[in-house]
Amino acid sequence: MTDLVIYHNPRCSKSRQTLQLLEERGLTPSVVLYLETPPDATTLKGLLKQLGMDSARLLMRTGETEYREMGLSRPDCSEQELIEAMVQCPRLIERPIVVKGEQARVGRPPESVLEII
């Protein structure tokens, strides 16, 4: 397994651009289609640490309908509730996420992932 991984949604333009950026540099990441195989809570906690995020909310797509429907905007939502919501509804996870070794970056903009390559 490669030490370069992209959590990818092929329907997302930023995700496609990020994957293309990596491939143009001769890199072949392992592609995780996270909508089909969502990360579990432990993996999400690890990603948050690798991303340097101190809140799961920072990794969430707060504009998604599910975010509102699940009541996740409440300030009293615990980290565990937010993580479990992403496990149950992976559309809530910001994308793409590129991981190399112990570091990760969200590809927004796609060039931001070059910091860890």
Side-chain angles (χ1 to χ4, degrees):
M1 174 151 172
T2 179
D3 70 337
L4 183 63
V5 177
I6 183 170
Y7 287 83
H8 180 58
N9 176 355
R11 295 186 57 157
C12 170
S13 64
K14 294 295 181 198
S15 196
R16 290 191 309 269
Q17 290 168 9
T18 301
L19 181 57
Q20 181 180 354
L21 184 69
L22 295 171
E23 290 172 341
E24 286 171 352
R25 284 164 172 71
L27 302 168
T28 307
S30 291
V31 176
V32 176
L33 299 174
Y34 71 94
L35 294 177
E36 295 175 16
T37 54
D40 60 19
T42 301
T43 301
L44 282 172
K45 288 176 186 175
L47 286 170
L48 287 166
K49 183 176 179 183
Q50 290 172 301
L51 288 161
M53 294 179 173
D54 60 358
S55 171
R57 197 177 307 276
L58 297 173
L59 189 57
M60 298 184 87
R61 297 178 54 83
T62 59
E64 295 292 337
T65 304
E66 293 87 350
Y67 185 82
R68 289 184 303 281
E69 289 176 349
M70 296 171 85
L72 299 172
S73 62
R74 295 184 344 265
D76 66 334
C77 274
S78 70
E79 285 296 298
Q80 191 60 36
E81 285 177 283
L82 297 172
I83 289 169
E84 284 303 319
M86 287 189 281
V87 170
Q88 292 172 15
C89 183
R91 280 178 31 120
L92 292 170
I93 302 170
E94 188 60 80
R95 74 238 179 194
I97 302 169
V98 173
V99 179
K100 179 157 175 57
E102 294 301 313
Q103 294 186 310
R105 294 291 183 277
V106 174
R108 290 186 174 268
E111 294 79 17
S112 67
V113 304
L114 297 176
E115 297 171 3
I116 62 171
I117 305 302

